[in-house]
Coordinates of all heavy atoms in Angstrom, one line a residue:
S188 N 3.2 -245.6 -180.9 CA 4.5 -245.3 -180.4 C 5.2 -246.5 -179.8 O 4.6 -247.2 -179.0 CB 4.4 -244.1 -179.4 OG 5.6 -244.0 -178.7
S189 N 6.5 -246.7 -180.0 CA 7.2 -247.7 -179.4 C 7.7 -247.3 -178.0 O 8.1 -248.1 -177.2 CB 8.4 -248.1 -180.2 OG 9.3 -247.1 -180.3
T190 N 7.6 -246.0 -177.8 CA 8.1 -245.4 -176.5 C 7.1 -245.6 -175.4 O 7.4 -246.1 -174.3 CB 8.4 -243.9 -176.6 OG1 9.4 -243.8 -177.7 CG2 9.0 -243.4 -175.4
D191 N 5.9 -245.2 -175.6 CA 4.9 -245.2 -174.6 C 3.6 -245.9 -175.0 O 2.6 -246.0 -174.2 CB 4.5 -243.8 -174.1 CG 4.0 -242.9 -175.2 OD1 3.7 -243.4 -176.3 OD2 3.9 -241.7 -174.9
G192 N 3.5 -246.5 -176.2 CA 2.3 -247.2 -176.6 C 1.2 -246.3 -177.0 O 0.1 -246.8 -177.3
S193 N 1.4 -245.0 -177.1 CA 0.3 -244.1 -177.4 C -0.1 -244.4 -178.9 O 0.7 -244.8 -179.7 CB 0.7 -242.7 -177.2 OG 1.9 -242.4 -178.0
T194 N -1.3 -244.1 -179.2 CA -1.8 -244.4 -180.5 C -2.5 -243.2 -181.1 O -3.0 -242.3 -180.4 CB -2.8 -245.6 -180.5 OG1 -3.9 -245.2 -179.6 CG2 -2.1 -246.8 -180.1
Y195 N -2.6 -243.2 -182.4 CA -3.4 -242.2 -183.1 C -4.2 -242.9 -184.2 O -3.8 -243.8 -184.8 CB -2.4 -241.2 -183.9 CG -3.1 -240.4 -184.9 CD1 -3.7 -239.2 -184.6 CD2 -3.1 -240.8 -186.2 CE1 -4.4 -238.4 -185.5 CE2 -3.8 -240.0 -187.2 CZ -4.4 -238.8 -186.8 OH -5.1 -238.1 -187.8
Y196 N -5.4 -242.4 -184.3 CA -6.3 -242.9 -185.4 C -6.9 -241.7 -186.2 O -7.3 -240.7 -185.6 CB -7.5 -243.6 -184.8 CG -7.1 -244.9 -184.0 CD1 -6.9 -244.9 -182.7 CD2 -6.9 -246.1 -184.7 CE1 -6.4 -246.0 -182.0 CE2 -6.5 -247.2 -184.1 CZ -6.2 -247.2 -182.7 OH -5.8 -248.3 -182.1
A197 N -6.9 -241.8 -187.5 CA -7.6 -240.9 -188.3 C -9.1 -240.9 -188.0 O -9.6 -242.0 -187.6 CB -7.3 -241.1 -189.8
D198 N -9.8 -239.8 -188.2 CA -11.2 -239.8 -187.9 C -12.0 -240.8 -188.8 O -13.0 -241.3 -188.3 CB -11.8 -238.4 -188.2 CG -11.3 -237.4 -187.2 OD1 -10.9 -237.8 -186.1 OD2 -11.4 -236.2 -187.5
S199 N -11.4 -241.1 -189.9 CA -12.1 -242.0 -190.9 C -12.2 -243.4 -190.3 O -13.0 -244.2 -190.8 CB -11.4 -242.0 -192.2 OG -10.1 -242.3 -192.1
V200 N -11.3 -243.8 -189.4 CA -11.3 -245.2 -188.9 C -11.5 -245.3 -187.4 O -11.6 -246.4 -186.8 CB -9.9 -245.9 -189.3 CG1 -9.7 -245.8 -190.8 CG2 -8.8 -245.3 -188.5
K201 N -11.5 -244.1 -186.7 CA -11.6 -244.1 -185.2 C -12.9 -244.9 -184.8 O -14.0 -244.7 -185.3 CB -11.7 -242.7 -184.7 CG -11.4 -242.5 -183.3 CD -11.3 -241.0 -182.9 CE -10.2 -240.3 -183.6 NZ -10.1 -238.9 -183.3
G202 N -12.7 -245.8 -183.8 CA -13.8 -246.5 -183.3 C -14.0 -247.8 -184.0 O -14.8 -248.7 -183.6
R203 N -13.4 -248.0 -185.2 CA -13.5 -249.2 -186.0 C -12.2 -250.0 -186.1 O -12.3 -251.3 -186.1 CB -14.0 -248.9 -187.4 CG -15.4 -248.2 -187.4 CD -15.9 -248.1 -188.8 NE -15.0 -247.2 -189.7 CZ -14.5 -247.6 -190.8 NH1 -14.7 -248.8 -191.3 NH2 -13.7 -246.8 -191.5
F204 N -11.1 -249.3 -186.1 CA -9.8 -250.0 -186.3 C -9.0 -249.9 -185.0 O -9.2 -248.9 -184.2 CB -9.0 -249.3 -187.4 CG -9.5 -249.5 -188.8 CD1 -10.8 -250.0 -189.0 CD2 -8.8 -249.0 -189.8 CE1 -11.2 -250.2 -190.3 CE2 -9.2 -249.2 -191.1 CZ -10.5 -249.8 -191.4
T205 N -8.2 -250.9 -184.7 CA -7.4 -250.9 -183.5 C -6.0 -251.4 -183.9 O -5.8 -252.4 -184.6 CB -7.9 -251.9 -182.5 OG1 -9.2 -251.5 -182.1 CG2 -7.0 -251.9 -181.2
I206 N -5.0 -250.6 -183.5 CA -3.6 -250.9 -183.8 C -3.0 -251.6 -182.5 O -3.3 -251.1 -181.4 CB -2.8 -249.7 -184.3 CG1 -1.4 -250.1 -184.8 CG2 -2.7 -248.7 -183.2 CD1 -0.6 -249.0 -185.5
S207 N -2.1 -252.5 -182.7 CA -1.4 -253.2 -181.6 C -0.1 -253.8 -182.1 O 0.1 -254.0 -183.3 CB -2.3 -254.2 -180.9 OG -2.6 -255.3 -181.9
G208 N 0.7 -254.0 -181.1 CA 2.0 -254.6 -181.5 C 2.5 -255.7 -180.6 O 2.0 -255.8 -179.4
D209 N 3.2 -256.6 -181.1 CA 3.8 -257.7 -180.3 C 5.3 -257.7 -180.6 O 5.7 -258.3 -181.7 CB 3.2 -259.0 -180.7 CG 3.6 -260.2 -179.9 OD1 4.8 -260.1 -179.3 OD2 2.9 -261.2 -179.8
N210 N 6.1 -257.1 -179.8 CA 7.5 -256.9 -180.1 C 8.2 -258.3 -180.1 O 9.2 -258.5 -180.8 CB 8.2 -256.0 -179.1 CG 7.9 -254.6 -179.4 OD1 7.3 -254.2 -180.3 ND2 8.5 -253.7 -178.5
A211 N 7.7 -259.2 -179.3 CA 8.3 -260.6 -179.3 C 8.2 -261.2 -180.6 O 9.1 -261.9 -181.1 CB 7.7 -261.4 -178.2
K212 N 7.1 -261.0 -181.3 CA 6.9 -261.5 -182.6 C 7.3 -260.6 -183.7 O 7.2 -260.9 -184.9 CB 5.4 -261.9 -182.8 CG 4.9 -263.0 -181.9 CD 3.5 -263.4 -182.2 CE 3.0 -264.5 -181.4 NZ 1.6 -264.9 -181.7
R213 N 7.8 -259.4 -183.3 CA 8.2 -258.4 -184.3 C 7.1 -258.1 -185.3 O 7.3 -257.9 -186.5 CB 9.5 -258.8 -185.0 CG 10.6 -259.2 -184.0 CD 11.8 -259.8 -184.7 NE 12.4 -259.0 -185.7 CZ 13.2 -258.0 -185.5 NH1 13.6 -257.8 -184.3 NH2 13.7 -257.3 -186.5
T214 N 5.9 -257.9 -184.8 CA 4.7 -257.8 -185.7 C 3.8 -256.7 -185.1 O 3.6 -256.7 -183.9 CB 4.0 -259.1 -185.8 OG1 4.9 -260.1 -186.4 CG2 2.8 -258.9 -186.8
V215 N 3.3 -255.9 -186.0 CA 2.3 -254.9 -185.6 C 1.0 -255.3 -186.4 O 1.0 -255.7 -187.5 CB 2.7 -253.5 -185.9 CG1 1.6 -252.5 -185.6 CG2 4.0 -253.1 -185.1
Y216 N -0.1 -255.2 -185.7 CA -1.4 -255.6 -186.3 C -2.3 -254.4 -186.4 O -2.2 -253.4 -185.7 CB -2.1 -256.6 -185.3 CG -1.3 -257.8 -185.0 CD1 -0.5 -257.9 -183.8 CD2 -1.2 -258.9 -185.9 CE1 0.2 -259.0 -183.6 CE2 -0.4 -260.0 -185.7 CZ 0.3 -260.0 -184.5 OH 1.1 -261.1 -184.2
L217 N -3.3 -254.5 -187.4 CA -4.4 -253.6 -187.5 C -5.6 -254.4 -187.6 O -5.9 -255.0 -188.6 CB -4.2 -252.7 -188.7 CG -5.2 -251.6 -188.9 CD1 -5.0 -250.5 -187.8 CD2 -5.1 -250.9 -190.3
Q218 N -6.4 -254.3 -186.5 CA -7.7 -255.0 -186.5 C -8.7 -254.0 -187.1 O -8.9 -252.9 -186.6 CB -8.1 -255.4 -185.1 CG -9.5 -256.0 -185.0 CD -9.5 -257.4 -185.6 OE1 -8.6 -258.2 -185.5 NE2 -10.6 -257.7 -186.4
M219 N -9.4 -254.5 -188.1 CA -10.4 -253.6 -188.8 C -11.7 -254.2 -188.7 O -12.0 -255.3 -189.2 CB -9.9 -253.5 -190.3 CG -8.5 -253.0 -190.5 SD -8.1 -252.6 -192.2 CE -8.3 -254.2 -193.0
N220 N -12.6 -253.6 -188.0 CA -14.0 -254.0 -187.9 C -15.0 -253.0 -188.6 O -14.6 -251.9 -188.8 CB -14.4 -254.1 -186.4 CG -13.5 -255.1 -185.7 OD1 -13.1 -256.1 -186.2 ND2 -13.3 -254.9 -184.4
G221 N -16.2 -253.5 -188.8 CA -17.1 -252.6 -189.4 C -16.7 -252.0 -190.8 O -16.9 -250.8 -191.0
L222 N -16.1 -252.8 -191.6 CA -15.5 -252.3 -192.8 C -16.5 -251.7 -193.8 O -17.7 -252.3 -193.8 CB -14.7 -253.4 -193.5 CG -13.3 -253.6 -192.8 CD1 -12.7 -255.0 -193.2 CD2 -12.3 -252.5 -193.2
K223 N -16.2 -250.7 -194.5 CA -17.0 -250.0 -195.4 C -16.4 -250.0 -196.8 O -15.2 -250.1 -196.9 CB -17.2 -248.6 -195.0 CG -17.7 -248.4 -193.5 CD -17.7 -246.9 -193.2 CE -18.2 -246.7 -191.7 NZ -18.2 -245.3 -191.3
P224 N -17.2 -249.9 -197.8 CA -16.6 -249.8 -199.2 C -15.5 -248.8 -199.3 O -14.5 -249.0 -200.1 CB -17.8 -249.5 -200.1 CG -19.0 -250.1 -199.3 CD -18.7 -249.9 -197.9
E225 N -15.7 -247.7 -198.6 CA -14.7 -246.6 -198.7 C -13.4 -247.0 -198.0 O -12.4 -246.2 -198.1 CB -15.2 -245.3 -198.2 CG -15.8 -245.4 -196.8 CD -17.3 -245.5 -196.8 OE1 -17.8 -246.3 -197.6 OE2 -18.0 -244.9 -196.0
D226 N -13.3 -248.1 -197.3 CA -12.0 -248.6 -196.8 C -11.2 -249.3 -197.8 O -10.1 -249.7 -197.5 CB -12.3 -249.5 -195.6 CG -12.9 -248.8 -194.4 OD1 -12.5 -247.7 -194.1 OD2 -13.8 -249.4 -193.8
T227 N -11.8 -249.5 -199.0 CA -11.0 -250.2 -200.0 C -9.8 -249.4 -200.4 O -9.9 -248.2 -200.8 CB -11.9 -250.4 -201.3 OG1 -13.0 -251.3 -200.9 CG2 -11.2 -251.0 -202.4
A228 N -8.6 -250.1 -200.4 CA -7.4 -249.4 -200.6 C -6.2 -250.4 -200.5 O -6.5 -251.6 -200.1 CB -7.1 -248.3 -199.6
I229 N -5.1 -250.0 -200.9 CA -3.8 -250.8 -200.6 C -3.4 -250.2 -199.2 O -3.2 -249.0 -199.0 CB -2.8 -250.6 -201.6 CG1 -3.3 -251.1 -203.0 CG2 -1.5 -251.4 -201.2 CD1 -2.3 -250.9 -204.1
Y230 N -3.1 -251.2 -198.3 CA -2.7 -250.8 -197.0 C -1.2 -251.1 -196.8 O -0.7 -252.2 -197.1 CB -3.5 -251.6 -195.9 CG -4.9 -251.1 -195.8 CD1 -5.8 -251.2 -196.8 CD2 -5.3 -250.4 -194.6 CE1 -7.1 -250.7 -196.6 CE2 -6.6 -249.9 -194.4 CZ -7.5 -250.0 -195.5 OH -8.7 -249.5 -195.3
Y231 N -0.5 -250.1 -196.3 CA 0.9 -250.2 -196.1 C 1.3 -250.0 -194.6 O 0.6 -249.2 -193.9 CB 1.7 -249.1 -196.9 CG 1.4 -249.1 -198.4 CD1 0.3 -248.4 -198.9 CD2 2.3 -249.7 -199.2 CE1 0.1 -248.3 -200.3 CE2 2.1 -249.7 -200.6 CZ 1.0 -249.0 -201.1 OH 0.8 -249.0 -202.5
C232 N 2.3 -250.6 -194.2 CA 2.9 -250.3 -192.9 C 4.2 -249.6 -193.1 O 4.9 -249.8 -194.1 CB 3.0 -251.5 -191.9 SG 4.1 -252.8 -192.4
A233 N 4.6 -248.8 -192.1 CA 5.9 -248.1 -192.1 C 6.5 -248.0 -190.8 O 5.7 -248.0 -189.7 CB 5.6 -246.7 -192.7

């Protein structure tokens, strides 16, 4: 959320992925750790 910074994670990635934003850089990040073969996909931001 841009309003309060609250976050949501799907169960499939909870505890492994972290979302964060840097408004000054106009960039949002997704740190992905502990990657599994089932994480293979095309990743989109919206």
Side-chain angles (χ1 to χ4, degrees):
S188 167
S189 66
T190 304
D191 60 9
S193 58
T194 57
Y195 165 84
Y196 296 95
D198 288 344
S199 56
V200 306
K201 198 174 295 181
R203 300 188 297 124
F204 291 9
T205 303
I206 190 170
S207 62
D209 185 335
N210 282 0
K212 294 185 178 179
R213 305 170 62 81
T214 301
V215 176
Y216 304 98
L217 185 69
Q218 178 67 43
M219 306 188 297
N220 299 328
L222 283 162
K223 305 175 182 179
E225 51 264 43
D226 294 319
T227 296
I229 299 175
Y230 283 69
Y231 302 89
C232 64

